[in-house]
Amino acid sequence: MAVEQPMQSSTIVDVLEKVLDKGVVIAGDIRVGIADVELLTIKIRLIVASVDKAKEIGMDWWETDPYLSSKATENNQALEEENKKLKERLDALESQMRNNRWNTADQE
């Protein structure tokens, strides 16, 4: 009489679900050199995780990348407008300082 043993089989979907749920980090460095002189270094960092898991660990760079998110483009426009206003204020302050110096020099 043969004894049957239950076989556990993991489909690719099961494996992918576990990987995305927990996340996987792959890290490595490639260095090219001749005679102890390093010519090139390539650092490779790869994280495979679900979007929810990535956000949970604080990785949400795609939300601020203007090539990947329309929200990032809106944010960039707001920053550019703020930068323009700050430059105008700086120019006005520098102009006032120059005028004050001229007035002080004239009084002496």
Side-chain angles (χ1 to χ4, degrees), residues 30-41:
I30 299 171
R31 293 185 181 156
V32 178
I34 297 175
D36 292 330
V37 176
E38 191 172 311
L39 300 174
L40 175 68
T41 299

Side-chain angles (χ1 to χ4, degrees), residues 26-90:
I26 300 170
D29 294 339
I30 299 171
R31 293 185 181 156
V32 178
I34 297 175
D36 292 330
V37 176
E38 191 172 311
L39 300 174
L40 175 68
T41 299
I42 300 173
K43 294 186 179 238
I44 300 171
R45 305 292 181 257
L46 173 67
I47 296 177
V48 179
S50 68
V51 171
D52 294 334
K53 186 66 174 180
K55 283 185 176 182
E56 183 181 313
I57 61 174
M59 292 185 60
D60 56 357
W61 53 265
W62 61 87
E63 291 180 350
T64 57
D65 189 327
Y67 293 106
L68 300 175
S69 172
S70 61
K71 290 179 184 177
T73 304
E74 293 168 5
N75 191 26
N76 276 351
Q77 290 172 348
L79 288 174
E80 286 176 8
E81 182 64 31
E82 181 181 6
N83 192 19
K84 182 180 173 184
K85 289 179 181 177
L86 288 171
K87 284 181 181 180
E88 289 171 357
R89 286 181 60 193
L90 180 61

Side-chain angles (χ1 to χ4, degrees), residues 92-102:
L93 288 171
E94 287 176 345
S95 178
Q96 283 179 348
M97 287 181 64
R98 266 187 253 116
N99 289 337
N100 287 343
R101 281 189 210 142
W102 290 339

